[in-house]
Amino acid sequence: MTNQALVVGASGIVGSALSRLLADEGWNVAGLARRPNTDAGVTPISADLLDPKALASALADISPTHVFLSTWARQASEAENIRVNAQMVRNLLEAVRPAGTVRHVALVTGLKHYLGPFEAYGKGALPQTPFREEQGRLDVENFYYAQEDEVFAAAERDGFSWSVHRPHTITGIAVGNAMNMATTLAVYASICRHTGRPFRFPGSDVQWHSLTDMTDAAQLARHLHWAASTPAAANQAFNVVNGDVFRWKWMWSRIAEWFGIDAAPFDGPAPLEQQMAGDAAIWSDMAKQYGLAAADIGTLISPWHTDADLGRPIEVVTDMSKSRKLGFLDYQASDEAFFDVFARLQAGKLIP
């Protein structure tokens, strides 16, 4: 029987990478998003997860064996994040329930499982690093927990297996994505090169000096495929990162070198939301000069999210022993993951 995947959030960084991988592996793939891509081998489905009736109609002819949830909707408060994002998961699982074909549901969350929500990011009593899956939930409200609870309840009711995947900051490409560090840094570096501004690290002293790790979208896609295809991975939560560690004081120079600029000496936090606040007009002019495909800088950058990640006051390192013990051995060098994104952005005329 051919596996039928329903990738929810198919136009995002994770969903687009996963859809391509599954299609290449011979799966039938349907990609759901409000504005779905039209990638070869992927059936596009346009639907709003907050509209149950329209969602059920859009999925009426889809009988998925595997559902991959890789989307969320940012709200003004964590209480609203919980309400809206839990409802999205609940609506989706109700919409696929009538087919009775679902065997596995995979949910992508992240390290806010250990760090807490944006309202209390990296504050209070946190687990020791490296983060391990057996470290329990924090005693705070967190929309990741609400999403998990919706999946767990539906799995118990409907009899499918599940997996939860917790990446660190994800590198990849998706125009309009709300959490997009690699593209944000590429645009920032391009502006620094164009204007002669110093290429300043925006984050904290701790992040500059401490060890950290990342997750490339292709690595996460391989992990999702592995967990969905490996019986021992059923009903498990997993951390997933590239497999290397680095310090930003090294990575910042690597990124600067790729763009042919100098990395400015670190002299304290310089948040990108402040540095790039007036860059819309500069980028529009650059788009005309270099023939770029996106003149609206707002569709490319998410400085608030990059600042949140790079401004953490604690070391963030992730343990992947659980996956390794079960047989997932894939590896991705993090600097090469950045360079791959930069090259693809350049080839797509999204940066000069």
Side-chain angles (χ1 to χ4, degrees):
M1 178 181 176
T2 301
N3 290 322
Q4 170 67 63
L6 174 62
V7 178
V8 183
S11 61
I13 292 176
V14 177
S16 57
L18 176 62
S19 296
R20 288 192 297 270
L21 173 64
L22 295 178
D24 289 345
E25 292 288 336
W27 291 44
N28 291 330
V29 182
L32 186 152
R34 281 182 294 179
R35 292 177 293 277
N37 296 330
T38 55
D39 292 339
V42 179
T43 301
I45 299 174
S46 177
D48 183 348
L49 294 178
L50 292 173
D51 186 339
K53 186 176 180 179
L55 180 62
S57 176
L59 294 174
D61 297 327
I62 302 295
S63 299
T65 58
H66 296 72
V67 177
F68 300 89
L69 288 154
S70 62
T71 189
W72 73 293
R74 185 189 182 197
Q75 305 299 312
S77 68
E78 192 60 19
E80 278 298 287
N81 274 333
I82 289 169
R83 184 186 68 81
V84 170
N85 288 283
Q87 183 180 346
M88 288 165 59
V89 175
R90 188 183 319 124
N91 290 345
L92 187 279
L93 296 179
E94 284 288 344
V96 297
R97 191 182 186 196
T101 54
V102 177
R103 304 200 304 263
H104 186 83
V105 172
L107 173 68
V108 177
T109 60
L111 294 196
K112 286 191 292 297
H113 181 92
Y114 309 106
L115 289 163
F118 286 120
E119 289 180 3
Y121 203 38
K123 299 176 182 176
L126 299 174
Q128 291 186 347
T129 57
F131 295 137
R132 292 180 169 87
E133 295 91 345
E134 63 266 23
Q135 294 165 332
R137 294 180 175 183
L138 300 175
D139 188 21
V140 295
E141 295 296 305
N142 189 324
F143 83 87
Y144 282 171
Y145 306 160
Q147 288 181 309
E148 286 182 345
D149 288 342
E150 294 293 339
V151 172
F152 299 159
E156 185 174 356
R157 179 193 66 204
D158 297 334
F160 56 75
S161 63
W162 54 266
S163 58
V164 175
H165 305 255
R166 299 170 186 158
H168 196 168
T169 302
I170 300 171
T171 50
I173 296 178
V175 175
N177 190 271
M179 299 191 293
N180 201 341
M181 179 189 286
T183 302
T184 299
L185 293 181
V187 170
Y188 171 58
S190 298
I191 290 172
C192 289
R193 183 176 62 187
H194 177 79
T195 62
R197 276 164 36 186
F199 185 56
R200 299 178 63 196
F201 180 70
S204 68
D205 180 83
V206 171
Q207 289 303 304
W208 181 252
H209 290 289
S210 298
L211 290 173
T212 192
D213 48 31
M214 296 192 75
T215 308
D216 187 64
Q219 173 82 338
L220 177 51
R222 292 189 293 267
H223 194 262
L224 285 158
H225 176 250
W226 165 80
S229 310
T230 303
N235 304 324
Q236 301 283 339
F238 296 101
N239 296 330
V240 50
V241 287
N242 288 336
D244 62 352
V245 293
F246 62 89
R247 290 181 171 86
W248 272 105
K249 64 181 181 180
W250 172 81
M251 184 67 79
W252 201 247
S253 295
R254 294 285 286 155
I255 292 173
E257 182 181 356
W258 196 94
F259 283 93
I261 56 179
D262 293 326
F266 180 69
D267 58 356
L272 289 181
E273 278 204 295
Q274 297 174 18
Q275 288 197 60
M276 304 185 75
D279 284 346
I282 293 173
W283 188 256
S284 180
D285 290 342
M286 289 174 63
K288 294 176 184 176
Q289 180 176 340
Y290 299 112
L292 303 181
D296 179 4
I297 196 172
T299 65
L300 297 173
I301 65 172
S302 52
W304 68 272
H305 180 259
T306 299
D307 287 341
D309 272 10
L310 298 184
R312 295 169 180 149
I314 60 170
E315 176 186 80
V316 180
V317 182
T318 315
D319 181 77
M320 257 192 87
S321 298
K322 187 176 181 179
S323 293
R324 303 303 190 205
K325 289 177 180 177
L326 292 176
F328 182 81
L329 304 177
D330 289 40
Y331 165 85
Q332 169 65 59
S334 293
D335 56 341
E336 293 175 3
F338 270 116
F339 301 161
D340 176 68
V341 170
F342 301 157
R344 289 162 57 200
L345 289 170
Q346 203 168 59
K349 301 296 289 183
L350 290 169
I351 61 172

